[in-house]
């Protein structure tokens, strides 16, 4: 009976979505429609690419693998210890036959540097006025936990000839090719492996290898090493490779790294007060579980509803954590059923649905949200809102973070981020400094052009084909793609054929549902993957329980939020947060 109802809901949801659009339906029907769409996506848009080079047996099981996350992500799934582990392959959300990259000559058309300059360049900053800049920092912070393809291959780079008048320092522009899976099937489409684990395990805070993870620890009471600026001590920088994702570090990431390292230590104190039998290792492992779960909760019930603030998605996303009966019901009566739609995903049965768990190349592609980052920053005093500094993006980048934090109290920097807006995710709003990004390791890249090349070479379908494979109608013309007639003309001039529009460019151009910071096309991936990251992880499902986390640990996750975390470590921020419903929305001006 359940499968019959599910199939009927799936069919009905697709019809309603195509005829009216889920975002125009009354709330109860809209919620059911999203549940049906998610079911369809689970059945048709999860595709296994195989295990990759970690197919061999993992290292010996750690003594506490049943109740603690491993650094390399093994043993999350006890029946398949390699699932989601370090160096596991990215999966796909489209059938593998559609993931072959185009031939090289077609892949390079239109020229990605031309797309960058003509369609993405920020002529004037367009703000996302419903959000604050912490929202932009947050998603980069989380992405550094979720996925990394590693450094590109230096041999035989892509070569992009430049137009006359292009000021780039070399012609042609060279972009390293993506690093392919060394164990890929030569008869199949290319595959790629992750340099992080696929799990939502806070590896961005705790490190992705044993050496760094151990160097971050004090060795006492489970705590992490933090200096006077609230960051890891400078001697740990020898463990950081600025050629990798660490080269993208900036002051926004520093705020969140500091916040969650402080939170880890506060959790250790709380756990120690409630269980004196936990030693240094026990406190560290339990605090890591709690901290990672709190990050996942904040992303689910605070960040995502702020970025896609349609009334339906706000309810739906909170239901991922609390169920459709809501937080109040769960806290009063408990999670009374195994059905995660009703009770929320935490503590429900683990389910990978139709493919082994992994993050996917399509998921990576929709998180290309660099327009969120401004080029210019205004820092203000929490005392009286006066301007204390005005800086550009390079002046708050990886090599300048400590200098800025020595000049300004962290409370002022947090307050400033709460008052500043990120950029809108749309055409002509890509950060200028990222189109000419001089990285700490010494190289120089156009990140916009690189984003486009990377998406093409990894076989992510172009915009219209992507829509078809996610059960959406393709657009028939540039005027149908965007409501902005000037953009439509520019798109036609660059692409000529609407079928050639890049996935990222199409998502930036298309109209957004009410309250959305990103496109409805991107949302289709989120419908599927937002719950999958929770539902596949045993530490969010079957092992989200006091016997694993401790009762004090579970209570900490259930009772805390982004607001309580900010105010625990920086109570001076309370006046700026008064009356602010979501901490990722603009904060109050104070001091005047």
């Amino acid at each position: 009976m359940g499968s019959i109802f599910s199939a009927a809901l799936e069919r009905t949801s697709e019809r309603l979505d195509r005829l009216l659009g889920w975002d125009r339906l009354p709330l109860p029907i809209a919620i059911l429609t999203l549940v049906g769409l998610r079911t369809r996506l689970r059945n048709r848009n999860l595709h296994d690419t195989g295990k990759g080079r970690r197919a061999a047996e993992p290292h010996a099981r750690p003594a506490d693998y049943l109740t603690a996350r491993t650094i390399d992500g093994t043993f999350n799934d006890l029946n398949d210890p390699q699932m989601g582990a370090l160096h596991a392959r990215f999966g796909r959300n489209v059938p593998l036959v559609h993931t072959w990259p185009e031939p090289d000559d077609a892949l390079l058309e239109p020229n990605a540097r031309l797309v960058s300059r003509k369609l993405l360049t920020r002529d004037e900053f367009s703000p996302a006025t419903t959000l604050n800049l912490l929202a932009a920092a947050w998603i980069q912070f989380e992405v550094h936990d979720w996925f990394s393809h590693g450094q590109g291959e230096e041999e035989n780079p892509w070569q992009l000839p430049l137009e006359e008048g292009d000021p780039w320092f070399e012609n042609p522009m060279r972009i390293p090719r993506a690093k392919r899976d060394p164990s890929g099937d030569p008869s199949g489409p290319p595959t790629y492996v992750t340099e992080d684990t696929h799990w939502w395990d806070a590896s961005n805070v705790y490190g992705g290898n044993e050496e760094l993870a151990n160097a971050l620890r004090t060795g006492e009471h489970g705590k992490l090493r933090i200096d006077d600026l609230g960051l890891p001590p400078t001697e740990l920088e020898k463990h950081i490779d600025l050629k990798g994702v660490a080269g993208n570090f900036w002051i926004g990431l520093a705020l969140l790294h500091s916040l969650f390292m402080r939170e880890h230590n506060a959790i250790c104190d709380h756990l120690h007060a409630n269980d004196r039998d936990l030693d240094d290792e026990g406190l560290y492992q339990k605090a890591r579980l709690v901290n990672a779960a709190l990050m996942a909760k904040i992303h689910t019930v605070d960040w995502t509803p702020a970025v896609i603030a349609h009334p339906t998605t706000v309810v739906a996303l909170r239901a991922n954590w609390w169920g459709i009966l809501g937080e109040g019901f769960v806290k009063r009566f408990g999670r009374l059923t195994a059905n995660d739609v009703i009770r929320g995903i935490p503590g429900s049965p683990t389910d990978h649905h139709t493919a082994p768990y992994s993050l996917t190349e399509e998921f990576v592609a929709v998180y290309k949200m660099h327009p969120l980052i401004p080029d210019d920053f205004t820092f203000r005093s929490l005392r009286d809102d006066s301007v204390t500094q005005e800086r550009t993006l390079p002046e708050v980048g990886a090599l300048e973070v400590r200098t800025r934090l020595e000049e300004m109290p962290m409370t002022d920097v947090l307050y400033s981020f709460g008052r500043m807006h990120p950029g809108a995710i749309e055409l002509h709003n890509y950060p200028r400094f990222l189109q000419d990004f001089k990285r700490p390791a010494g190289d120089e890249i156009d990140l916009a052009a690189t984003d486009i090349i990377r998406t093409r070479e990894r076989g992510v379908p172009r915009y219209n084909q992507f829509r078809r494979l996610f059960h959406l109608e393709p657009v028939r013309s540039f005027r149908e793609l965007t409501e902005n007639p000037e953009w439509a003309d520019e798109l036609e001039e660059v692409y000529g054929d609407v079928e050639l529009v890049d996935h990222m460019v199409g998502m930036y151009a298309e109209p957004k549902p009410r309250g959305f910071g990103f496109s409805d096309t991107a949302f289709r991936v989120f419908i599927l993957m937002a719950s999958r990251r929770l539902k596949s992880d045993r530490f969010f499902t079957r092992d989200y329980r006091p016997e694993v986390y401790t009762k004090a640990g579970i209570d900490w996750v259930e009772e805390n939020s982004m607001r309580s975390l900010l105010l625990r470590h920086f109570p001076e921020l309370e006046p700026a947060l008064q009356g602010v419903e979501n901490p990722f929305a603009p904060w109050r001006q104070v001091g005047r």
Side-chain angles (χ1 to χ4, degrees):
M1 183 65 69
S3 60
I4 295 174
F5 171 78
S6 180
L9 179 62
E10 194 179 329
R11 290 192 299 271
T12 303
S13 297
E14 181 183 4
R15 293 192 187 105
L16 285 173
D17 184 45
R18 290 206 170 194
L19 287 173
L20 301 171
W22 66 265
D23 55 311
R24 297 180 178 89
L25 298 171
L27 181 61
I29 299 174
I31 292 293
L32 281 173
T33 299
L34 290 183
V35 172
L37 292 176
R38 185 176 69 178
T39 300
R40 185 174 199 214
L41 291 166
R42 283 173 170 173
N43 289 335
R44 303 190 186 189
N45 288 85
L46 294 174
H47 299 278
D48 184 21
T49 55
K51 289 188 176 182
R53 70 185 189 210
R54 287 297 302 271
E57 284 300 311
H59 299 305
R61 296 179 182 181
D64 55 357
Y65 76 100
L66 291 175
T67 58
R69 293 185 180 276
T70 58
I71 293 295
D72 65 359
T74 53
F75 296 104
N76 192 306
D77 186 290
L78 299 179
N79 295 316
D80 184 357
Q82 295 289 356
M83 187 188 296
L86 188 67
H87 303 311
R89 286 179 186 164
F90 287 97
R92 305 301 303 227
N93 291 131
V94 299
L96 300 188
V97 68
H98 293 288
T99 66
W100 286 95
E102 301 166 50
D104 284 6
D105 55 346
L107 187 148
L108 292 173
E109 292 296 329
N111 188 309
R113 173 65 174 178
L114 177 69
V115 175
S116 171
R117 296 187 72 207
K118 298 291 187 182
L119 297 175
L120 299 180
T121 298
R122 177 179 282 159
D123 301 315
E124 182 178 348
F125 180 64
S126 176
T129 57
T130 61
L131 299 171
N132 66 39
L133 194 52
L134 278 176
W138 176 271
I139 192 53
Q140 189 181 9
F141 178 67
E142 290 301 286
V143 162
H144 285 189
D145 177 20
W146 297 337
F147 50 76
S148 170
H149 284 78
Q151 299 174 40
E153 301 283 1
E154 294 298 331
E155 294 183 6
N156 189 27
W158 298 106
Q159 299 191 42
L160 280 59
L162 304 185
E163 282 193 316
E164 184 176 352
D166 189 325
W168 194 251
F169 70 93
E170 63 176 356
N171 189 1
M173 172 183 283
R174 292 178 295 173
I175 298 177
R177 293 180 184 251
K179 185 178 181 180
R180 291 192 180 186
D181 172 12
S183 66
D185 180 357
S187 65
T191 51
Y192 302 88
V193 298
T194 182
E195 296 296 319
D196 296 313
T197 74
H198 290 265
W199 305 107
W200 210 340
D201 56 6
S203 59
N204 50 338
V205 170
Y206 295 99
N209 59 71
E210 294 285 351
E211 182 183 16
L212 177 57
N214 291 333
L216 285 166
R217 296 176 61 174
T218 66
E220 296 180 355
H221 303 297
K223 293 188 175 183
L224 299 177
R225 299 173 64 191
I226 303 175
D227 67 13
D228 293 340
L229 293 178
L231 297 173
T234 54
E235 62 263 27
L236 297 187
E237 291 176 359
K238 63 185 179 182
H239 297 280
I240 305 301
D241 180 8
L242 291 177
K243 294 181 181 179
V245 294
N248 302 333
F249 200 67
W250 62 295
I251 199 167
L253 289 180
L255 293 178
L256 294 170
H257 275 271
S258 176
L259 195 61
F260 280 93
M261 292 182 77
R262 295 169 192 260
E263 184 71 355
H264 172 93
N265 289 350
I267 295 167
C268 287
D269 287 337
H270 178 71
L271 296 177
H272 181 63
N274 283 273
D275 188 346
R276 297 287 180 173
D277 292 332
L278 287 172
D279 60 10
D280 173 63
E281 182 68 15
L283 287 167
Y284 170 83
Q285 296 294 357
K286 299 303 180 189
R288 182 183 179 187
L289 280 176
V290 172
N291 215 12
L294 183 55
M295 284 183 202
K297 180 188 176 186
I298 288 171
H299 188 82
T300 303
V301 305
D302 287 330
W303 184 85
T304 314
V307 176
I308 48 176
H310 189 284
T312 297
T313 50
V314 170
V315 172
L317 288 159
R318 290 185 62 84
N320 264 351
W321 195 271
W322 296 114
I324 59 173
L325 297 179
E327 180 179 358
F329 182 91
V330 168
K331 287 187 173 178
R332 183 172 183 181
F333 299 106
R335 301 180 189 264
L336 300 179
T337 172
N339 186 308
D340 60 74
V341 174
I342 296 173
R343 57 81 53 80
I345 292 173
S348 66
T350 310
D351 193 341
H352 304 309
H353 298 103
T354 54
Y357 174 72
S358 67
L359 297 178
T360 64
E361 295 291 356
E362 290 70 31
F363 177 81
V364 173
V366 299
Y367 265 112
K368 295 187 182 300
M369 296 183 180
H370 293 108
L372 288 167
I373 306 296
D375 287 290
D376 303 294
F377 299 78
T378 299
F379 293 96
R380 298 177 179 272
S381 166
L382 178 60
R383 184 184 68 257
D384 59 7
D385 197 57
S386 61
V387 174
T388 59
Q389 292 195 20
E390 292 186 344
R391 296 288 182 179
T392 62
L393 183 56
E395 292 175 317
V396 297
L399 300 181
E400 303 294 334
V401 166
R402 287 187 174 275
T403 301
R404 298 289 85 83
L405 291 178
E406 287 169 354
E407 296 168 344
M408 297 179 285
M410 193 165 285
T411 49
D412 283 5
V413 181
L414 282 164
Y415 171 67
S416 301
F417 267 63
R419 296 268 283 114
M420 285 186 279
H421 296 302
I425 303 172
E426 61 187 31
L427 296 183
H428 294 297
N429 207 28
Y430 205 95
R432 298 185 306 275
F433 286 113
L434 294 185
Q435 285 179 296
D436 187 3
F437 185 19
K438 297 176 176 64
R439 298 199 291 189
D443 55 336
E444 186 173 353
I445 64 169
D446 176 352
L447 188 57
T450 303
D451 279 347
I452 292 164
I453 289 292
R454 285 286 177 267
T455 302
R456 292 177 187 174
E457 70 176 319
R458 290 174 186 148
V460 175
R462 299 208 187 201
Y463 177 74
N464 253 351
Q465 180 68 344
F466 189 94
R467 287 180 62 86
R468 292 185 187 98
L469 295 172
F470 272 83
H471 324 295
L472 293 165
E473 292 290 337
V475 297
R476 293 164 292 185
S477 69
F478 294 101
R479 295 291 169 133
E480 187 178 327
L481 169 56
T482 177
E483 294 174 339
N484 186 318
E486 291 184 11
W487 289 1
D489 291 343
E490 291 169 342
L491 285 160
E492 186 166 16
E493 180 183 352
V494 170
Y495 285 99
D497 183 351
V498 73
E499 291 293 329
L500 295 179
V501 173
D502 285 289
H503 170 264
M504 184 178 84
V505 172
M507 291 194 304
Y508 288 2
E510 73 174 61
K512 301 176 180 67
R514 176 163 58 100
F516 266 46
F518 55 73
S519 72
D520 187 42
T521 301
F523 179 56
R524 304 306 162 130
V525 182
F526 286 91
I527 295 172
L528 173 61
M529 300 300 292
S531 57
R532 180 164 168 78
R533 285 176 297 168
L534 298 172
K535 191 65 176 168
S536 280
D537 192 322
R538 72 178 168 96
F539 292 108
F540 296 140
T541 50
R542 55 172 282 192
D543 282 340
Y544 183 79
R545 51 194 173 93
E547 293 83 357
V548 175
Y549 281 69
T550 75
K551 183 179 185 306
I554 289 287
D555 290 345
W556 188 278
V557 180
E558 298 286 271
E559 297 299 327
N560 278 291
S561 65
M562 188 64 177
R563 177 187 297 274
S564 66
L565 186 150
L566 284 165
L567 293 179
R568 175 164 34 257
H569 302 289
F570 301 100
E572 307 95 316
L573 296 174
E574 186 168 8
L577 285 165
Q578 283 181 4
V580 178
E581 185 174 345
N582 189 313
F584 293 109
W587 294 4
R588 289 184 59 198
Q589 177 180 334
V590 300
R592 286 185 179 175

